Amino acid sequence: MSDPTRFLTAFSQALSTAGLYGDDHPATARSVEAAVERLQELQSTAPRLEFTFLPGEVLFGSEAVPELERWEWSTRFIKAGVERIEFTDGVSPDQFGRFLVQLAIRLGIRSGSSGDLWQMGGSSIKFGQVTLGQNGSAPK
């Protein structure tokens, strides 16, 4: 299993667990911690990471991730308006946790308002729909 696949698998498990049990459950804490660890492992060689979710495939940077062809979460992310996730630098566990909650709300697996501001100030996590511009694609 490739490192991007390991991260996205842990990430989807953390989303599922957070939606099922809520923030304070030990299973949620363990799954979020595992996802953060996979993210940190992936960022150890390059802190800037880009995931693009397309119908039927996932891109890591500009490369397709064959293990995630027809990955159900890709479709779920697209339907929630999340076609791309970028990590521009290291991410703190607290920041990652807030992002996870916001995404779980957008996906409809957790109650809350998706209009709520998920972060205060700048963030090294960006997500949204893909737009085409002069320099290629970037999140809105």
Side-chain angles (χ1 to χ4, degrees):
M1 183 183 301
S2 70
D3 289 342
T5 302
R6 290 181 67 212
F7 164 66
L8 288 174
T9 300
F11 182 52
S12 63
Q13 289 171 345
L15 279 166
S16 295
T17 305
L20 184 62
Y21 297 114
D23 291 340
D24 298 327
H25 196 279
T28 300
R30 284 191 303 271
S31 66
V32 170
E33 183 179 323
V36 169
E37 287 175 8
R38 299 297 82 73
L39 177 61
Q40 290 171 343
E41 288 170 3
L42 197 53
Q43 287 185 309
S44 68
T45 55
R48 183 174 182 82
L49 307 174
E50 300 172 350
F51 295 94
T52 305
F53 306 101
L54 304 170
E57 72 180 322
V58 175
L59 301 179
F60 177 58
S62 61
E63 301 292 319
V65 181
E67 301 99 333
L68 297 176
E69 188 175 318
R70 293 181 176 66
W71 187 49
E72 84 170 85
W73 282 93
S74 187
T75 302
R76 294 175 83 174
F77 289 156
I78 291 167
K79 286 181 181 178
V82 179
E83 297 170 330
R84 186 163 177 136
I85 300 173
E86 294 181 12
F87 299 94
T88 59
D89 204 352
V91 176
S92 72
D94 182 56
Q95 185 182 42
F96 185 83
R98 287 192 314 270
F99 167 61
L100 191 88
V101 167
Q102 179 65 25
L103 190 53
I105 292 168
R106 287 181 78 147
L107 289 166
I109 58 176
R110 182 180 181 133
S111 62
S113 171
S114 62
D116 293 341
L117 185 65
W118 76 275
Q119 64 191 11
M120 296 298 289
S123 175
S124 55
I125 304 173
K126 298 177 186 204
F127 64 99
Q129 295 180 313
V130 173
T131 60
L132 297 179
Q134 293 178 8
N135 297 326
S137 59
K140 283 185 178 178

